[in-house]
Amino acid sequence: MSRALRARAVIAAEADGAGGTRLTVLRGDGPLALRPAADAVYLVGAAAGPLGGDELSLRVAVGAGSVLRLRSAAATLLLPDAGGARSSFELHATVGAGATLDCALQPLIAADGCDHRQACTVSLAGGASLRWREELVLGRHGEPPGACTLRLDVEFGRAPLLRHSLDIGRWHASPAVLGDARAAGSLLLAGRRWPDPGQSHPGQSHPVQPQATGSVVITPLAGPGVLVQAMAPGAAELSRLL
C-alpha cells in the first residue's frame, strides 16, 4: 500500500482599499501548512519530505493592487523512498494588475537518492511585478545529490517572459553544467516595478567579476525583467551572491 501524500494548498490576497492587503483564502493540506505573519505568509513543513511519491501543489492568486510575500520557515529536504518513486511540487500563481508577488523560499536540499520535480508557473497581468528567488543545495554534507529538476515559466501580459529549467542528475558535475559547485540558484526580477537593466541586449548574458567564490551571471530578458543566476561551493556563499 502506497504511503505517498497528495496535498493541496491555496492562498488568495486582495487589496483592502486602504493601501494594504488582506488574505481572503488561506488553506493548507497535509504537510503544506500556511502561517500568516506581519511580514509574509510562511510555508511551514508539517511533515518530513517530500518523500518519493509525494505530490504537493500550491495555488496563489494575488489580486489587483495587492502585495503578497511568500516565505518558508526552513529549508526543504528532498528524500527518496524505497521504491524510487518521484516526488513533485507544483506552484501556480496569478498576479493581477499593479500587484506584486515576492516569493523567496528557503533552499531545497537534494538528498542522495531523491528524484524530485518542481514546476512553477506565474502569470503576470499588465503592471504586475514579481520577485522570485530559488536555491538548490546538492546533497547533505559529504553525500552526492539525488535527481532534481526545477522548472519556472513566467508570462507577462499573456506573452512568454521566461522559460527556465535547472536539471540536476547524472551529469551535474560536468563543466558544462555545474562543475564542482555544490549550490545553484536564481533571482528573477520581472515586471514594471523593477528598473530597466540598461543598454544590455535582451538575452545577452553578462558575467559579474570578480567573486572570491562562486560565479554570477545577469541576463536581461526580452520583456520587463532580469534573471540573475549563481553557482557557489555551498549554501551560505550562494545566498550571499544572490
Side-chain angles (χ1 to χ4, degrees), residues 51-55 81 83-88 114-117 147 149 167:
L51 304 174
D54 290 354
E55 298 178 3
D81 78 337
R86 168 177 282 186
S87 59
S88 67
C114 76
D115 186 358
H116 182 77
R117 176 175 174 79
T149 299
D167 192 353

Side-chain angles (χ1 to χ4, degrees), residues 65-221:
S66 62
V67 176
L68 178 64
R69 297 177 181 87
L70 185 60
R71 302 290 188 265
S72 55
T76 297
L77 181 60
L78 308 174
L79 295 168
D81 78 337
R86 168 177 282 186
S87 59
S88 67
F89 175 74
E90 295 184 357
L91 186 150
H92 301 280
T94 58
V95 187
T100 297
L101 173 61
D102 182 346
C103 181
L105 304 181
Q106 294 292 322
L108 296 173
I109 303 174
D112 186 17
C114 76
D115 186 358
H116 182 77
R117 176 175 174 79
Q118 174 174 294
C120 301
T121 60
V122 183
S123 178
L124 302 171
S129 297
L130 172 68
R131 176 179 179 267
W132 184 278
R133 174 170 169 157
E134 60 185 19
E135 302 173 39
L136 176 64
V137 179
L138 280 64
R140 292 167 289 192
H141 180 71
E143 74 173 10
C148 182
T149 299
L150 304 181
R151 176 79 188 186
L152 176 61
D153 294 293
V154 180
E155 294 184 351
F156 183 81
R158 298 186 178 181
L161 179 65
L162 178 68
R163 300 285 187 261
H164 182 258
S165 182
L166 174 62
D167 192 353
I168 302 302
R170 181 178 178 183
W171 306 108
H172 75 273
S174 164
V177 187
L178 295 181
D180 58 0
R182 294 287 297 175
S186 61
L187 174 64
L188 171 65
L189 304 177
R192 301 301 183 188
R193 174 180 174 182
W194 309 108
D196 191 308
Q199 301 300 318
S200 303
H201 297 289
Q204 181 178 342
S205 298
H206 300 276
V208 178
Q209 298 294 342
Q211 297 291 337
T213 59
S215 61
V216 176
V217 173
I218 298 175
T219 305
L221 304 180

